[in-house]
C-alpha cells in the first residue's frame, strides 16, 4: 500500500444492534396490514444486490445506462454549476462506480479534497475508500456506515462547498410524504454554498416502463421474489417463492411503477421469528416496491415545497432520466 493512504481514510460505523428488531417490527406491520406490503430495502442481501447488478445490464432497464451517460458527458458542467465544491458526499455510495466521473471532474477543476460515502455496507465502504485514495492522490475519505433513513444528520460540514449526491433514482422508492420529508431533511443540512445532486427517472410511455421492470429474462422477477428468501432466512419463514408471481404495472395516475408479488394459490405462511402465521388468498397481491417517475415540473414543485431552489437540470439525449441540482 502506498504511504499515507491509511491516514487518509476514516470510516465511522453507526449501525446499532437494533437493526434486527426493527426489521421484525416493520415486516410484522406489513404482513398484517390490508393490503399487505413489504419495504424494498429488504431486496438487498448479497443475492439481491447481485440480481440488481444484473438488472442494470438488462437491455430493457435503461435508467443506469442513462444516468451513466449523463455523468460521462456532463460531470464537468455539473461540477461547474455546483460551484466547484471541495467535498463530494454520496448517499448510498456502494462501489462508487458512477461517482468516479464526478470525482475526476472535481480533480480536473482543482477543487477536490474530500469524499464522504454513506452506505449500509461496511465492507463495500472500506473497499471503495481504499481504491479511491489510490486512484485520487491526496483525497481524504470520511465514510459513514449508516442507515440513510436515520443518519443523514451525521454528514460532516464542508469547507468550500459540498455536493451531496443521491444517484440511481432510489428516491423514487419513497412515497410522496416520505420523499418530501427526506428532501426537507437534506434542505436542513445544506449551507448556501452546498448543492444537492439528485438522480430521478422520468415519466415515459407505459410499455417501456413495464418492460424495464418485467424483463424477458426474468431477472427482475427473481429480484422481487428474493425478498421472500430474505424473510425466510432472517425471520424463520417458510415462504415458497415460486408460489408467487412477479407483477409490475405502471400507475399512470400516480406516475409510478407498482411492483407486487401475487399469490398463485391460497396459502398459509409461517414466520417462526415473528411467531406469526399469515394467510394469502388466491390471487392476493402484496406490494414490494414503488418506483416513482418524475417530470421536471413535479420535481421542482417538490423542491420548492421544502425550501429548495432548482439549480440545474441535466438529462441524457433521449430525456429518459435526469440529474438535477438544488440549493437552499
Ligand atoms: C434501485 C430503486 C432505483 O426503482 O428502478 C429495479 C430498483 N426495482 N428494478 C428502481 C429496481 C426493480 C431501482 N432502484
Amino acid at each position: 500500500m502506498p504511504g499515507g493512504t491509511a491516514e487518509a481514510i476514516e470510516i465511522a460505523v453507526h449501525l446499532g444492534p437494533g437493526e434486527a428488531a426493527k426489521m421484525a417490527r416493520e415486516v410484522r406491520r406489513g404482513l398484517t396490514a390490508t393490503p399487505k406490503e413489504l419495504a424494498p430495502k429488504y431486496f438487498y442481501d448479497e443475492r439481491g444486490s447481485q440480481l440488481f447488478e444484473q438488472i442494470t445490464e438488462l437491455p430493457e432497464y435503461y435508467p443506469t445506462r442513462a444516468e451513466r451517460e449523463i455523468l460521462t458527458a456532463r460531470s464537468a458542467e455539473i461540477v461547474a454549476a455546483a460551484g466547484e465544491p471541495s467535498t463530494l458526499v454520496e448517499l448510498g455510495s456502494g462501489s462508487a462506480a458512477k461517482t468516479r466521473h464526478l470525482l475526476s471532474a472535481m480533480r480536473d477543476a482543482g477543487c477536490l479534497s474530500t469524499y464522504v460515502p454513506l452506505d449500509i455496507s461496511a465492507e463495500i465502504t472500506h473497499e471503495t475508500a481504499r481504491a479511491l485514495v489510490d486512484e485520487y492522490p491526496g483525497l481524504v475519505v470520511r465514510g459513514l456506515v449508516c442507515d440513510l433513513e436515520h443518519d443523514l444528520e451525521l454528514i460532516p460540514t464542508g469547507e468550500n462547498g459540498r455536493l451531496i449526491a443521491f444517484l440511481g433514482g432510489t428516491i423514487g422508492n419513497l412515497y410522496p410524504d416520505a420523499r418530501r420529508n427526506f428532501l426537507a431533511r437534506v434542505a436542513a443540512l445544506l449551507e448556501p454554498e452546498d448543492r444537492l445532486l439528485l438522480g430521478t427517472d422520468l415519466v415515459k410511455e407505459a410499455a417501456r416502463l413495464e418492460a424495464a421492470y418485467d424483463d424477458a429474462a426474468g431477472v427482475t422477477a427473481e429480484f422481487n421474489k428474493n425478498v421472500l428468501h430474505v424473510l425466510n432466512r432472517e425471520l424463520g419463514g417458510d415462504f415458497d417463492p415460486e408460489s408467487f408471481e412477479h407483477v409490475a404495472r405502471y400507475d399512470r395516475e400516480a406516475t409510478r411503477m407498482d411492483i407486487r408479488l401475487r399469490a398463485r394459490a391460497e396459502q398459509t405462511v409461517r414466520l417462526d421469528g415473528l411467531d406469526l402465521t399469515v394467510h394469502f388468498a388466491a390471487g392476493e397481491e402484496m406490494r414490494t416496491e414503488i418506483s416513482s417517475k418524475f417530470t421536471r415540473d413535479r420535481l421542482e414543485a417538490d423542491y420548492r415545497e421544502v425550501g429548495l431552489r432548482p439549480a440545474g437540470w441535466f438529462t441524457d439525449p433521449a430525456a429518459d432520466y435526469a440529474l438535477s441540482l438544488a440549493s437552499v
Side-chain angles (χ1 to χ4, degrees):
M1 181 168 63
T5 55
E7 304 84 72
I9 299 174
E10 182 188 296
I11 290 167
V13 180
H14 289 275
L15 288 178
E19 298 301 311
K22 206 168 71 194
M23 176 183 191
R25 250 192 335 268
E26 286 181 3
V27 171
R28 176 188 302 281
R29 198 188 321 123
L31 291 178
T32 54
T34 312
K36 297 181 179 65
E37 177 155 8
L38 294 170
K41 64 179 168 192
Y42 300 124
F43 289 138
Y44 300 93
D45 65 347
E46 193 161 331
R47 177 168 181 268
S49 300
Q50 276 166 13
L51 286 165
F52 180 67
E53 281 302 310
Q54 286 180 41
I55 287 174
T56 65
E57 286 160 21
L58 292 168
E60 298 95 331
Y61 192 78
Y62 58 84
T64 311
R65 275 188 299 278
E67 187 179 61
R68 194 187 307 128
E69 205 177 337
I70 303 167
L71 287 170
T72 304
R74 306 189 67 182
S75 279
E77 242 181 288
I78 291 169
V79 165
E84 303 197 341
S86 64
T87 300
L88 176 62
V89 178
E90 186 171 21
L91 311 181
S93 40
S95 62
K98 292 173 283 196
T99 318
R100 284 174 171 78
H101 295 291
L102 291 168
L103 288 171
S104 296
M106 289 165 72
R107 176 198 56 204
D108 296 347
C111 58
L112 176 64
S113 105
T114 309
Y115 177 54
V116 180
L118 276 71
D119 202 89
I120 193 90
S121 162
E123 293 76 30
I124 292 192
T125 305
H126 278 103
E127 269 171 43
T128 304
R130 273 195 294 273
L132 289 177
V133 295
D134 282 347
E135 286 171 50
Y136 296 89
L139 181 70
V140 171
V141 178
R142 298 263 172 272
L144 289 170
V145 177
C146 63
D147 183 343
L148 291 184
E149 267 182 68
H150 307 282
D151 300 324
L152 278 187
E153 287 70 20
L154 299 171
I155 296 172
T157 54
E159 300 251 303
N160 289 300
R162 297 172 298 178
L163 183 59
I164 301 186
F166 190 28
L167 304 177
T170 306
I171 195 165
N173 278 169
L174 299 179
Y175 284 101
D177 280 356
R179 179 169 79 229
R180 278 189 284 269
N181 206 15
F182 178 84
L183 290 174
R185 286 174 60 204
V186 172
L189 289 177
L190 290 190
E191 300 289 338
E193 67 274 23
D194 297 338
R195 295 290 179 275
L196 168 67
L197 179 67
L198 185 67
T200 46
D201 196 12
L202 300 178
V203 166
K204 57 184 58 64
E205 209 187 317
R208 273 190 71 208
L209 285 165
E210 289 179 349
Y213 290 85
D214 190 7
D215 60 283
V219 182
T220 309
E222 270 313 303
F223 173 74
N224 191 10
K225 290 176 200 171
N226 189 56
V227 71
L228 303 180
H229 291 282
V230 170
L231 264 48
N232 284 349
R233 189 184 60 238
E234 299 298 321
L235 298 170
D238 67 354
F239 276 104
D240 169 15
E242 291 320 305
S243 70
F244 287 83
E245 201 176 347
H246 172 63
V247 179
R249 275 189 297 258
Y250 183 56
D251 178 342
R252 283 182 176 76
E253 203 99 323
T255 69
R256 67 193 183 206
M257 286 303 301
D258 193 333
I259 295 156
R260 303 175 183 205
L261 288 170
R262 182 197 290 139
R264 294 181 195 272
E266 185 190 355
Q267 56 195 287
T268 297
V269 176
R270 175 73 192 163
L271 291 111
D272 283 338
L274 297 180
D275 191 18
L276 180 70
T277 303
V278 184
H279 180 261
F280 285 86
E284 183 176 344
E285 292 183 3
M286 169 169 69
R287 180 183 281 154
T288 51
E289 184 179 40
I290 59 161
S291 187
S292 302
K293 308 304 163 191
F294 296 83
T295 61
R296 184 173 184 173
D297 284 351
R298 168 76 265 165
L299 185 61
E300 294 188 348
D302 279 5
Y303 279 156
R304 291 198 177 88
E305 228 180 292
V306 300
L308 287 170
R309 290 185 305 179
W313 180 262
F314 306 85
T315 76
D316 55 306
D320 282 336
Y321 191 93
L323 286 177
S324 55
L325 285 169
S327 65
V328 284

